[in-house]
């Protein structure tokens, strides 16, 4: 980490290290418990010992001071804090090891031309092209009517996280909404720190911090998550309960991802066919709620 890192990034690095340190008990890392502790988790001195670095150096790192940090030392700190793969990448990025930034929100029309036929062919499986901060830039017929009529949402508001945390109707589609909220914010945190979320990252996060206390609380936890597959249950107002496999594939060159939702059981497969058929015959099926 050098003087090229912004003060806000230094603060975030310090907050991240502190929250990871506080979640560990001495017993979990093989250290003896030494009396009552005024604060939760490990002490800075203990992390330094586990990582094989000086106490002063680690303290400066957690304070976000502009010091030089090698990849090898960051790995040692990550091991000491029991960081998983996503958290280790997050730590390196915060310390200044970043890939070139892209701007997926500024979607090239040629990309949409290339992907829209792919999305359409995936119908009746809901599918969309989105940024890593959940801006939806293209979608097929089944996806259009999965949560609401996407065509009725202004393009600037077609963001799954914004809709989830600010629109009760959208959120009500998720059966396990609390779990979805936690994972969504952790994925956004990982994407924002990776430098792959585009120039619009601060705008999306800023809007959510202003509009949702729940998002602000989850964002302050500094949890990160890398995830390309998960199972979710959605309650469609048109066809009922859907058990869906959410599968995403990165479009590496542009910073987008292709999201496809496949049926998890036969009943869901039947209901997706029904949803696609309804959407094809009744335009504006869910009506204008806005």
């Amino acid at each position: 980490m050098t003087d090229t890192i912004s003060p806000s990034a230094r603060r975030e690095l310090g907050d991240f290290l502190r929250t990871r340190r506080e979640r560990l008990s001495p017993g979990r890392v093989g250290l003896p418990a030494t009396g009552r502790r005024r604060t939760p988790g490990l002490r800075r001195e203990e992390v330094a010992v586990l990582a094989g670095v000086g106490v002063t150096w680690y303290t400066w790192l957690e304070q976000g001071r502009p010091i030089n940090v090698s990849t090898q030392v960051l790995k040692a700190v990550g091991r000491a804090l029991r960081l998983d793969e996503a958290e280790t990448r997050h730590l390196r990025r915060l310390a200044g090891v970043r890939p070139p930034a892209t701007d997926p929100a500024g979607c090239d029309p040629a990309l949409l031309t290339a992907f829209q036929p792919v999305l359409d062919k995936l119908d009746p499986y809901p599918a969309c092209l989105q940024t890593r901060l959940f801006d939806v830039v293209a979608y097929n017929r089944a996806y259009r009517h999965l949560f609401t009529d996407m065509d009725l949402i202004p393009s600037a508001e077609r963001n799954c996280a914004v809709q989830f945390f600010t629109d009760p109707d959208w959120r009500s589609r998720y059966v396990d909404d609390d779990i979805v909220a936690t994972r969504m914010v952790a994925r956004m945190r990982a994407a924002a720190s990776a430098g792959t979320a585009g120039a619009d990252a601060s705008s999306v996060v800023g809007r959510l911090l202003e509009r949702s206390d729940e998002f602000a609380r989850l964002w302050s936890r500094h949890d990160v998550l890398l995830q390309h597959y998960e199972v979710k249950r959605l309650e469609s107002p048109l066809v009922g309960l859907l058990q869906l496999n959410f599968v995403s594939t990165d479009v590496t060159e542009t910073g987008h991802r292709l999201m496809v939702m496949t049926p998890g059981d036969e009943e869901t497969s039947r209901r997706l066919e029904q949803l696609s058929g309804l959407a094809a015959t009744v335009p504006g099926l869910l009506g204008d709620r806005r």
Side-chain angles (χ1 to χ4, degrees), residues 6 59 76 92 99 104 145 156 160 181 184 187 191 216 222-223 268:
S6 69
T59 299
R92 293 184 61 186
H145 291 96
C160 296
M184 183 179 288
R187 289 173 66 188
H222 290 264
D223 291 338
T268 297

Side-chain angles (χ1 to χ4, degrees), residues 188-210:
M188 292 182 71
R189 171 70 76 173
S193 73
T196 58
D200 198 44
S202 59
S203 173
V204 173
V205 173
R207 274 188 289 160
L208 282 165
L209 289 173
E210 290 180 359

